Amino acid sequence: MEEKKEMVIPRDDFVFIPLGGATGIGMNFFAYGYQGKWLLVDCGVGFPGDGLPGVDVLLPNPVFLADKKQDIVGLVITHAHEDHIGAIPHLWRDLQCPIYATPFAAELIESKLNESGLLGRADLNVVERGSELELPPFDIEFISMCHSIPEPNALAIKTPKGTVVHTGDWKLNQDPILGQETDVETLKNLGKRGVLALVCDSTNVFGEPTTATESDVQKTLTDLIGQYPDKQIAVTCFASNVARVKGIYQAAKANGRDVCLMGRSLWRMDAAARATGYFHDIPEFLSEREAMERPVGTVLYICTGSQGESRSALASLSTITPIRNSVYFGPDDVVIFSSRIIPGNEKAIALLQRKLKAKGCKIITDREEMVHVSGHYAGQDLQQIYQLLMPKIALPVHGESLELNEHARLAKKWGTPYAFALEDGEVLNLSETPEILGQVETGILAVDGKQILRLDSEVIRKRRKMMDDGSFVVTLVVDRTGTVLGEPQISTFGLLDTDNEQKAELIQRIKDQIAQLEPGDIDFNNRIDQAVRTVIRKFLDEFYGKHPLIDVHLVRV
Amino acid sequence: MEEKKEMVIPRDDFVFIPLGGATGIGMNFFAYGYQGKWLLVDCGVGFPGDGLPGVDVLLPNPVFLADKKQDIVGLVITHAHEDHIGAIPHLWRDLQCPIYATPFAAELIESKLNESGLLGRADLNVVERGSELELPPFDIEFISMCHSIPEPNALAIKTPKGTVVHTGDWKLNQDPILGQETDVETLKNLGKRGVLALVCDSTNVFGEPTTATESDVQKTLTDLIGQYPDKQIAVTCFASNVARVKGIYQAAKANGRDVCLMGRSLWRMDAAARATGYFHDIPEFLSEREAMERPVGTVLYICTGSQGESRSALASLSTITPIRNSVYFGPDDVVIFSSRIIPGNEKAIALLQRKLKAKGCKIITDREEMVHVSGHYAGQDLQQIYQLLMPKIALPVHGESLELNEHARLAKKWGTPYAFALEDGEVLNLSETPEILGQVETGILAVDGKQILRLDSEVIRKRRKMMDDGSFVVTLVVDRTGTVLGEPQISTFGLLDTDNEQKAELIQRIKDQIAQLEPGDIDFNNRIDQAVRTVIRKFLDEFYGKHPLIDVHLVRV
């Protein structure tokens, strides 16, 4: 990894900089530069793990763009998943550029901007699928792909220096459910005309060579629903997977069941899907109240809660005691998890499943039946896209470094002359002789209450330290002679009980230590501070085995 | 749940009190009382989740026994897993009673006592398997069971009031690898003579009705190892599963490979197993250095690291760069996970597996092949033990409340007249008409550095609060007129940057607020404190959306 340094980006080079999304999963945020202008692709959030308590969501740090606002020609969105659009309301003030998205993503971005009070101010533009967009010096062609959300697009970004294909998240296998297919023809033609670079999703580089399709899932669900004609059945899935919701609807319909949606995010996605025409052939879904009036066996419930979320619709179905005016699931009712486990959610999901089992419900997951497929490519697809596009440069993104390196290795194996597993901030010269020109400043921001903090800030670092060891603040009033007056005040949050009997000993040790110092010189306050810290540190290690954050408030009178 | 209250336990009742191990997994610690005497069974630790940073390990709170030390006749150990013996060194000073264990557990307890400097002081007694122990007024019979560690014992605890069978962790299916079998005959005879109560493991109540055996695992491993004659092969498993280690050894031997142990806990268990005769027919395992001198294909490595531990032997095999004088695994070498995933370790395991895959290693887990079986019973076994023992009372332990309730439901379904899913501290009268007599004090202790804290203590509560919101301590020097002198000193660990520009505004607000107070009365200090807290709380909510712990150090001059 290179040293970060101020670098000048040559105006006539066509450059690619991952500002987020290359070093780790999430926070997709990519910049293309040419002739002093900047094109941005995606602007997504990341999710903090257990190591970042109090942090709601992570953002890519846009500091590199701070002095370039007037030169940003636009932010183009590949698709509407949170890791591709979620940071827009947080970072819009730092970008203030037009946003371009296809209808479904635009619908969801609009509702985000609305919630943040930015609706009138942000310039949001709807682009039709398969169309071209001119944002000089860039020409952008939207290419339809398949993924686990409507309207995933790859972008062909064209400049006189060459064409980059930026895939977004994708798979090749066709999705007849929404009638959206990967536009292989356009990809093939691009390949024939010559592709300089492929910036490509790395999610499934370690995955199986082939996978099943949404149609396979629909078929399995149709069979499964047919096996329990007299039972209540709930299917849980990701709300944004509109094709899955439609597939479940069709599986229900084939078994004479109407569909009831349960959970706010499903209804929100339903609204977006209807606004953009995806459910034009599906009658309105039943509300929970309507469903409860129907005979058992005539309704299928689609629920939020596949990740074990404690306030989801499925969680409400898992309660032992019936909730008034709510659907109740009991012995032999069936719950199908048409979803994968997102890492970190294992315990929550296991708890929810055990609660349902304890009530006698039957649980079906993708371990037992083909009730879920990934939205990302299988291994064969990846090889095929390289064969179609024949890029000169492979630029794996959207994965941990292990995935990026494996992806780069495969690309080279398949004949790609150059492959770079870039880190966030690295500037690559997109040319026939590509090279890393240097590194610009990037990083991760944490949305922490109403603050946005750098992840490497002292605040976050200290909070992590306090998690393990607590904090210790002492206020000492010391007179001119170096005598401690009165009783020192101590705050020991998360470290020891304040009425601890050993406190008296600590205070005595502090007084003794100060008494040994020679009072009077300019540096006396500093010497007191250092001496007291040392006493406290040693004492807490000796008696408690703890190494907290320490502050000394010295009051000189 | 009943209110906790001081209760008198009737001297002539035979009572059972789970002091740990009933409310949640881990910390097994059970008390049997009769005629003023107390018999303790097991004394284990629990493991804190991500919600308890800084805490090493959890212990059951022995406060109920504080005034009963002289009446404890002994602590009897069922088996040597950490959740059954791990708390002994931490709590021995609170118990100071003789400890009874079969040879393998005694070996491990001895080494624990040794590390804690208690070896000469604790009275540790070795009991042979299948023998009887008189600790009046209790007679204790050790009954051999099967589990994933050598020498698991059920205990038949006999008093004139009746016999309790306390299973410990168990399964019925026979384990020919160590030659240890569940003593079904003794269980049957106990059943014939009449069992008052069964205190029984609930781990797998939601599991499958039947499971495979250690022999099946050994067979699969033998086949698998045979499929990769020219490759390096590592198998990772739980170190304490001595039968598994022996099974892997036999599978290796059948394929002409010698076995090398890698990892300290495996060598520690090897020492205990050899000291107690379990490896008498196995030559010394190879050290890593010895193994490296052998040709590829003639060694099998058994490694620690099945849970993705970052300092384990398997982690060292996952490094990309070879480590000097260490075994190196590369493309097409094979790593077999002969283990399950302990909840909470999913991410660490997935990362380790991806690292190995990235190097081209082949990974085999229990998802693909029968390379692991649970140490706990399958559903049929549970039903069978109820048929053998025909207890009057079922007392499920060792599970979350969902498991305990399901276990109680099953026990009743199988004809057990009474079943209680007790919580920790509930006192059950073991009689023909069992009832909960009341509740005694129990709880969870956290080993936090060198301190032992109550889990519900303010220290732990505050640390959890600080994880999300940080802390804020301000020192104010206020004179007799209520004027703030000098610059207030502020410590804001994990909350905001100390050189924050808004700090000036906060300090002004604090000064303004104090200026509005009427100085002078006795309560002035309190009023300043409250007013300042309110200003800070409001300010931090308004500007940062944060609600930290706040302390005010007031210095009056």
Side-chain angles (χ1 to χ4, degrees):
Chain A
M1 209 173 79
E2 314 225 333
E3 271 274 297
K4 282 183 191 177
K5 58 189 174 217
E6 279 261 8
M7 69 165 293
V8 178
I9 291 164
R11 201 182 150 79
D12 287 335
D13 285 353
F14 179 22
V15 298
F16 170 69
I17 314 175
L19 298 175
T23 309
I25 296 268
M27 290 173 278
N28 290 283
F29 191 41
F30 303 98
Y32 291 89
Y34 184 50
Q35 293 187 335
K37 296 292 176 187
W38 293 94
L39 172 71
L40 305 177
V41 176
D42 291 342
C43 188
V45 294
F47 295 97
D50 297 317
L52 287 171
V55 173
D56 305 313
V57 89
L58 302 175
L59 310 173
N61 189 341
V63 60
F64 167 69
L65 300 166
D67 58 355
K68 300 179 184 63
K69 266 184 228 166
Q70 68 291 348
D71 295 319
I72 303 173
V73 298
L75 166 63
V76 180
I77 299 302
T78 61
H79 66 286
H81 275 147
E82 281 297 306
D83 57 335
H84 294 260
I85 67 168
I88 293 176
H90 298 285
L91 298 187
W92 187 79
R93 284 179 187 82
D94 298 294
L95 308 178
Q96 302 198 7
C97 66
I99 304 167
Y100 299 90
T102 50
F104 185 78
E107 189 73 25
L108 291 171
I109 294 168
E110 187 173 310
S111 105
K112 274 182 189 299
L113 291 171
N114 194 12
E115 285 167 19
S116 311
L118 291 169
L119 193 55
R121 298 168 57 198
D123 175 16
L124 175 61
N125 303 275
V126 181
V127 182
E128 289 310 314
R129 301 190 81 202
S131 64
E132 298 228 10
L133 177 67
E134 287 186 21
L135 298 173
F138 307 94
D139 269 16
I140 299 124
E141 182 177 359
F142 284 69
I143 306 155
S144 294
M145 305 293 281
C146 282
H147 186 45
S148 49
I149 194 165
E151 300 175 5
N153 300 287
L155 307 172
I157 299 165
K158 303 169 190 176
T159 72
K161 296 279 185 174
T163 297
V164 175
V165 174
H166 185 114
T167 64
D169 297 357
W170 65 279
K171 57 182 173 178
L172 279 190
N173 71 28
Q174 309 302 316
D175 171 8
I177 291 178
L178 292 188
Q180 297 192 342
E181 304 198 342
T182 298
D183 186 353
V184 175
E185 208 51 41
T186 298
L187 292 172
K188 194 184 291 176
N189 287 333
L190 282 165
K192 280 184 193 158
R193 289 199 301 271
V195 170
L196 178 58
L198 174 62
V199 176
C200 184
D201 176 7
S202 307
T203 311
N204 271 2
V205 284
F206 291 120
E208 297 301 312
T210 59
T211 63
T213 65
E214 282 295 332
S215 303
D216 296 326
V217 170
Q218 191 193 329
K219 213 171 297 162
T220 310
L221 288 171
T222 307
D223 289 351
L224 281 173
I225 294 167
Q227 289 173 28
Y228 304 95
D230 311 325
K231 302 299 170 194
Q232 296 192 104
I233 304 177
V235 181
T236 181
C237 68
F238 296 106
S240 61
N241 196 336
V242 171
R244 182 70 50 82
V245 171
K246 188 165 176 183
I248 298 167
Y249 161 79
Q250 287 167 340
K253 198 177 154 200
N255 284 289
R257 292 185 189 239
D258 288 325
V259 167
C260 163
L261 291 193
M262 288 178 69
R264 254 179 308 173
S265 57
L266 274 163
W267 284 108
R268 197 181 310 134
M269 285 293 164
D270 176 68
R274 289 187 189 275
T276 46
Y278 288 106
F279 285 166
H280 69 92
D281 49 354
I282 300 184
E284 290 289 323
F285 293 116
L286 301 178
S287 70
E288 192 173 346
R289 183 154 299 198
E290 289 166 334
M292 289 177 69
E293 289 165 7
R294 304 293 183 92
V296 168
T298 67
V299 176
L300 182 129
Y301 300 91
I302 304 182
C303 298
T304 56
S306 70
Q307 299 307 302
E309 300 93 329
S310 60
R311 291 173 177 197
S312 63
L314 193 57
S316 75
L317 287 187
S318 74
T319 57
I320 292 178
T321 327
I323 301 169
R324 238 172 87 92
N325 294 326
S326 298
V327 176
Y328 183 76
F329 266 46
D332 301 324
D333 286 335
V334 179
V335 178
I336 301 172
F337 282 73
S338 181
S339 55
R340 74 182 181 104
I341 297 174
I342 294 180
N345 298 337
E346 295 85 355
K347 278 188 184 177
I349 295 171
L351 177 63
L352 179 56
Q353 292 181 346
R354 284 161 57 231
K355 282 186 177 172
L356 289 163
K357 275 191 198 175
K359 299 209 302 177
C361 294
K362 183 170 176 62
I363 308 283
I364 300 168
T365 73
D366 65 343
R367 275 191 85 135
E368 294 89 36
E369 301 280 353
M370 164 53 63
V371 290
H372 176 69
V373 292
S374 169
H376 297 269
Y377 57 74
Q380 283 186 349
D381 296 4
L382 185 63
Q383 187 165 5
Q384 195 180 338
I385 209 167
Y386 275 87
Q387 285 164 350
L388 287 170
L389 295 174
M390 298 169 291
K392 301 230 169 36
I393 312 168
L395 297 171
V397 296
H398 207 281
E400 306 282 348
S401 65
L402 282 169
E403 277 78 17
L404 304 192
N405 285 315
E406 175 69 3
H407 187 159
R409 190 186 69 80
L410 289 170
K412 282 191 172 163
K413 183 177 138 191
W414 296 329
T416 314
Y418 300 98
F420 296 87
L422 296 179
E423 299 205 1
D424 286 339
E426 287 188 320
V427 181
L428 190 94
N429 184 4
L430 297 162
S431 77
E432 298 291 325
T433 52
E435 56 174 332
I436 294 171
L437 301 178
Q439 174 129 14
V440 301
E441 189 177 350
T442 56
I444 299 177
L445 301 177
V447 179
D448 182 55
K450 293 175 189 169
Q451 285 188 96
I452 294 185
L453 300 168
R454 290 173 60 109
L455 202 61
D456 57 0
S457 68
E458 199 171 338
V459 173
I460 299 282
R461 232 171 11 86
K462 287 195 170 169
R463 199 180 308 154
R464 294 173 70 136
K465 173 94 179 118
M466 282 198 306
M467 281 167 57
D468 287 336
D469 284 282
S471 67
F472 189 104
V473 180
V474 60
T475 294
L476 294 169
V477 182
V478 178
D479 72 9
R480 277 160 208 273
T481 69
T483 307
V484 177
L485 303 180
E487 181 78 349
Q489 298 178 60
I490 294 178
S491 295
T492 59
F493 296 136
L495 177 65
L496 28 128
D497 291 322
T498 37
D499 55 352
N500 191 287
E501 54 191 27
Q502 268 147 345
K503 214 170 82 174
E505 175 164 351
L506 172 58
I507 288 172
Q508 193 53 53
R509 287 197 194 183
I510 290 173
K511 286 181 177 174
D512 293 349
Q513 190 64 36
I514 294 175
Q516 285 177 31
L517 300 175
E518 195 63 47
D521 68 24
I522 303 168
D523 206 37
F524 188 42
N525 283 356
N526 273 339
R527 286 189 291 122
I528 294 176
D529 185 276
Q530 288 309 316
V532 171
R533 280 173 195 270
T534 305
V535 170
I536 295 169
R537 200 175 296 123
K538 221 176 121 197
F539 178 87
L540 295 174
D541 178 53
E542 181 182 333
F543 284 89
Y544 301 102
K546 285 286 176 182
H547 311 96
L549 298 169
I550 298 173
D551 248 5
V552 180
H553 292 182
L554 190 59
V555 177
R556 298 303 308 276
V557 293
Chain B
M1 208 173 74
E2 314 226 331
E3 272 272 298
K4 283 184 191 177
K5 57 190 175 215
E6 279 260 8
M7 70 165 293
V8 177
I9 292 162
R11 201 182 150 81
D12 287 335
D13 284 352
F14 180 22
V15 299
F16 171 68
I17 314 176
L19 297 175
T23 309
I25 296 269
M27 288 172 279
N28 290 284
F29 191 42
F30 303 98
Y32 291 89
Y34 183 50
Q35 293 185 335
K37 297 291 176 188
W38 294 93
L39 171 71
L40 305 178
V41 176
D42 291 340
C43 188
V45 294
F47 295 97
D50 297 316
L52 287 171
V55 173
D56 306 312
V57 88
L58 302 175
L59 311 172
N61 189 341
V63 58
F64 167 69
L65 300 167
D67 59 353
K68 300 178 183 65
K69 266 183 230 167
Q70 68 293 347
D71 295 319
I72 302 173
V73 297
L75 165 63
V76 180
I77 300 301
T78 61
H79 66 286
H81 274 147
E82 282 296 306
D83 57 334
H84 295 260
I85 68 168
I88 293 174
H90 299 285
L91 298 186
W92 186 81
R93 285 178 186 82
D94 299 294
L95 308 177
Q96 301 197 8
C97 66
I99 303 168
Y100 300 90
T102 50
F104 185 78
E107 189 72 27
L108 291 170
I109 293 168
E110 187 173 310
S111 105
K112 275 183 190 297
L113 291 172
N114 195 12
E115 285 168 19
S116 311
L118 292 168
L119 193 54
R121 298 167 58 196
D123 175 16
L124 174 61
N125 303 276
V126 180
V127 182
E128 290 309 315
R129 301 191 81 202
S131 65
E132 298 228 9
L133 179 67
E134 287 186 22
L135 299 172
F138 307 94
D139 269 14
I140 299 123
E141 183 177 359
F142 284 69
I143 306 154
S144 294
M145 306 292 282
C146 282
H147 186 47
S148 48
I149 194 165
E151 299 175 6
N153 300 288
L155 307 172
I157 300 164
K158 303 168 190 176
T159 72
K161 296 280 186 170
T163 296
V164 175
V165 175
H166 185 113
T167 63
D169 299 356
W170 65 280
K171 56 182 174 179
L172 277 190
N173 72 26
Q174 308 302 314
D175 170 9
I177 292 180
L178 292 188
Q180 299 193 339
E181 305 200 341
T182 297
D183 186 354
V184 175
E185 208 51 40
T186 298
L187 291 172
K188 195 185 289 176
N189 288 333
L190 283 165
K192 279 184 192 156
R193 291 199 300 269
V195 170
L196 179 58
L198 175 62
V199 175
C200 184
D201 177 7
S202 307
T203 310
N204 271 1
V205 283
F206 291 119
E208 299 301 312
T210 60
T211 62
T213 65
E214 282 295 332
S215 302
D216 296 326
V217 170
Q218 190 193 330
K219 213 170 297 162
T220 310
L221 288 172
T222 308
D223 289 349
L224 280 174
I225 294 167
Q227 289 172 28
Y228 304 95
D230 311 325
K231 302 298 170 195
Q232 296 191 101
I233 304 177
V235 181
T236 179
C237 68
F238 297 106
S240 60
N241 196 336
V242 171
R244 182 70 50 82
V245 171
K246 187 165 177 181
I248 298 167
Y249 161 79
Q250 287 168 340
K253 199 177 153 198
N255 285 288
R257 292 184 188 239
D258 287 327
V259 167
C260 164
L261 291 192
M262 290 178 68
R264 253 180 309 173
S265 57
L266 273 163
W267 283 108
R268 198 180 310 133
M269 285 294 165
D270 176 67
R274 289 187 190 274
T276 47
Y278 289 107
F279 285 165
H280 68 92
D281 49 354
I282 300 184
E284 291 289 323
F285 294 116
L286 302 178
S287 70
E288 193 173 347
R289 182 153 301 199
E290 289 166 333
M292 289 176 70
E293 290 165 7
R294 304 293 182 94
V296 169
T298 67
V299 176
L300 183 129
Y301 300 92
I302 305 183
C303 299
T304 56
S306 71
Q307 301 306 303
E309 299 93 331
S310 60
R311 291 172 177 199
S312 63
L314 193 56
S316 75
L317 287 188
S318 75
T319 56
I320 291 179
T321 328
I323 301 170
R324 239 171 87 93
N325 294 328
S326 297
V327 177
Y328 183 76
F329 266 47
D332 300 324
D333 286 336
V334 179
V335 178
I336 301 172
F337 282 73
S338 181
S339 55
R340 73 181 183 105
I341 297 174
I342 294 179
N345 298 339
E346 293 85 356
K347 278 189 185 176
I349 296 170
L351 176 63
L352 180 57
Q353 292 181 345
R354 284 162 56 233
K355 282 184 179 173
L356 290 163
K357 274 192 198 175
K359 298 209 302 175
C361 294
K362 182 168 177 64
I363 308 285
I364 300 168
T365 73
D366 65 342
R367 277 191 84 134
E368 294 89 36
E369 300 281 353
M370 164 52 64
V371 291
H372 177 70
V373 292
S374 170
H376 298 269
Y377 56 74
Q380 283 185 351
D381 295 2
L382 185 62
Q383 186 165 7
Q384 195 180 338
I385 209 168
Y386 275 87
Q387 285 164 350
L388 288 170
L389 295 173
M390 298 169 292
K392 301 230 168 38
I393 312 168
L395 297 170
V397 296
H398 208 281
E400 305 282 348
S401 65
L402 281 169
E403 277 78 18
L404 304 193
N405 285 315
E406 175 68 3
H407 189 160
R409 189 185 70 77
L410 289 171
K412 282 191 172 161
K413 182 178 139 192
W414 296 330
T416 314
Y418 300 97
F420 296 86
L422 296 179
E423 300 205 0
D424 286 340
E426 287 187 321
V427 181
L428 191 94
N429 184 3
L430 296 162
S431 76
E432 298 289 325
T433 52
E435 57 174 331
I436 295 171
L437 301 177
Q439 174 130 15
V440 301
E441 188 176 351
T442 56
I444 299 176
L445 300 177
V447 179
D448 183 55
K450 294 175 187 168
Q451 287 187 94
I452 294 185
L453 301 168
R454 291 173 59 111
L455 203 61
D456 57 359
S457 68
E458 198 170 338
V459 173
I460 299 281
R461 232 171 13 84
K462 287 196 170 168
R463 198 179 311 154
R464 294 173 69 135
K465 173 94 178 117
M466 280 197 306
M467 280 167 58
D468 287 336
D469 284 282
S471 67
F472 190 105
V473 180
V474 60
T475 294
L476 294 169
V477 182
V478 179
D479 72 8
R480 277 159 211 274
T481 69
T483 306
V484 177
L485 303 181
E487 182 78 349
Q489 298 177 62
I490 294 178
S491 296
T492 58
F493 297 136
L495 177 64
L496 30 126
D497 291 321
T498 36
D499 55 353
N500 191 289
E501 54 190 25
Q502 269 148 347
K503 214 171 82 174
E505 173 165 351
L506 172 59
I507 289 173
Q508 193 53 54
R509 287 197 194 184
I510 290 172
K511 286 182 176 173
D512 292 351
Q513 189 65 35
I514 295 176
Q516 285 176 32
L517 300 176
E518 195 64 50
D521 68 23
I522 302 168
D523 205 35
F524 188 43
N525 283 356
N526 273 338
R527 286 190 290 121
I528 294 176
D529 185 275
Q530 287 310 314
V532 171
R533 279 172 195 270
T534 305
V535 169
I536 295 170
R537 199 175 297 120
K538 222 177 121 197
F539 178 86
L540 295 174
D541 178 52
E542 182 182 332
F543 283 90
Y544 302 102
K546 285 287 175 180
H547 311 97
L549 298 169
I550 299 173
D551 247 6
V552 179
H553 292 183
L554 190 59
V555 177
R556 298 304 308 277
V557 293

